[in-house]
Amino acid sequence: MDESVLERAQAGDGNAFSELVEPHRRELLLHCYRILGSLHDAEDILQETLLSAWRALGRFDGRSLRAWLYRIATNHCLNYLRDGSRRPQSVLLPRPASFTEGLVSSDEPWWLQPCPDALLDDAASGPEARYDARESVALSFVAGLQRLPAQQRAALVLRDVLDFSAAETADLLDTTPTSVNSALARARTGFRPGRHPEQVPLPRSAAEAQTVERFVKAFERGDPSEVVAVLTEDARLTMPPEPLECAGPGAIADFMQRAGFWGPGLKLVPTRANNQPAFGFYRPDPNSPIWRAAGLIVLSLRNDQVSGITRFDPALLARFGLPRTLPR
């Protein structure tokens, strides 16, 4: 860290402050996203973090700017989680009975949102981290974190993902190493990442591309037998923020057909989220020569099959640079 830049920032130079914090902005956003599960909430908390850092910069001791920023960001995340009123409640959208047939209540965190791969470029983990960078940004990993109590969640991310020591984590959480180790032990016992990394094809690999191509063909043709063949026996379809899900290849194929999630005339536009294949999907407009956005889907893969389909609201497409309509 350039001491002259720090001195200028502490003297009130906003440009110098930006120069100090900009190298850490993306990793701090990703940290908040892991803790909160919502990219929208993470962006809000990051702004609060940087504002607090600017106001408190005069008290910064000059040792580790990164650790100091993580301390502020983590505390803002924990405060946010304590204040449940800041997060709106889940709402079951009005649907015809035919839509909800075969669906069951889901324990998936309804506030879960995908993260564009463009924000993951700087994701890295330390040499002793329990989880590597690729695994720790997976959608199922972030969803699994949301089921842990807040303090355990923070301890696990700081220790097992970011590779802070027990003493460093205790300082960040304003507690003791003994308390950190206790929280971490309970978190490790209760944490279920949701997938086995060795069974997941490498991102952007030929194996991943082949499985995705099979799914796309089955989706666009609307062939139930092809869809069933590409899904694992325990495949799940979830739809945050709606607290509903569908389990099993046959049930998923039937639901997708009834709900109009596939078939001739639909269009899939590829993108990526959480280091996983994803698509904006579009339905043809019956009155205009265009396709209209119907949602964003993120695929979870296991070996050469699809083990999970997570469907998100089309409002999130803008984050991925995808339009609400396409010309036909």
Side-chain angles (χ1 to χ4, degrees), residues 36 38-46 80 87 111 113:
L36 302 176
S38 161
L39 191 56
H40 174 80
D41 294 342
E43 289 170 337
D44 286 348
I45 294 302
L46 176 60
Y80 177 90
R87 178 171 275 166
W111 58 88
Q113 291 181 344

Side-chain angles (χ1 to χ4, degrees), residues 53-306:
W54 169 250
R55 290 172 173 169
L57 193 61
R59 301 192 297 275
F60 172 55
D61 60 15
R63 286 186 294 174
S64 172
L65 178 66
R66 179 175 182 266
W68 185 68
L69 291 171
Y70 266 101
R71 178 190 178 104
I72 297 172
T74 303
N75 282 319
H76 272 291
C77 285
L78 294 177
N79 288 337
Y80 177 90
L81 292 173
R82 293 186 190 105
D83 183 7
S85 65
R86 293 185 62 180
R87 178 171 275 166
Q89 297 303 304
S90 173
V91 175
L92 186 60
L93 300 178
R95 300 287 193 181
S98 59
F99 182 91
T100 57
E101 182 183 344
L103 298 179
V104 297
S105 178
S106 177
D107 65 352
E108 194 80 353
W110 60 263
W111 58 88
L112 185 68
Q113 291 181 344
C115 182
D117 273 20
L119 298 180
L120 306 178
D121 293 345
D122 295 340
S125 54
E128 303 301 322
R130 189 181 182 98
Y131 300 102
D132 65 28
R134 178 171 69 99
E135 183 180 6
S136 67
V137 296
L139 200 59
S140 60
F141 187 96
V142 177
L145 286 173
Q146 307 308 301
R147 300 184 178 95
L148 293 176
Q151 200 78 3
Q152 293 181 27
R153 192 185 315 177
L156 188 141
V157 171
L158 291 169
R159 293 283 283 116
D160 287 353
V161 175
L162 296 169
D163 202 22
F164 283 105
S165 69
E168 290 169 328
T169 301
D171 183 59
L172 296 179
L173 296 176
D174 197 24
T175 185
T176 65
T178 300
S179 295
V180 166
N181 289 332
S182 176
L184 181 62
R186 295 195 301 273
R188 286 174 175 173
T189 299
F191 184 50
R192 299 290 180 267
R195 66 179 194 172
H196 301 285
E198 70 279 2
Q199 297 178 347
V200 180
L202 289 174
R204 300 176 177 84
S205 65
E208 181 191 79
Q210 290 171 1
T211 301
V212 171
E213 183 179 7
R214 288 173 57 212
F215 175 83
V216 170
K217 287 181 177 178
F219 187 99
E220 291 183 338
R221 290 173 181 168
D223 186 326
S225 62
E226 289 186 34
V227 172
V228 167
V230 79
L231 297 175
T232 62
E233 285 299 314
D234 59 350
R236 294 171 65 220
L237 182 150
T238 54
M239 298 176 289
E242 295 192 75
L244 299 170
E245 69 174 61
C246 193
I252 291 174
D254 180 62
F255 170 74
M256 291 178 72
Q257 192 168 37
R258 285 187 290 103
F261 279 13
W262 69 9
L266 295 184
K267 185 175 182 63
L268 292 180
V269 178
T271 184
R272 296 193 66 84
N274 300 73
N275 250 335
Q276 298 168 226
F279 297 90
F281 76 95
Y282 297 78
R283 292 191 180 103
D285 188 304
N287 302 311
S288 305
I290 59 173
W291 282 287
R292 292 193 180 277
L296 176 80
I297 56 175
V298 181
L299 302 183
S300 298
L301 307 186
R302 186 191 308 151
N303 298 321
D304 61 349
Q305 290 181 294
V306 174

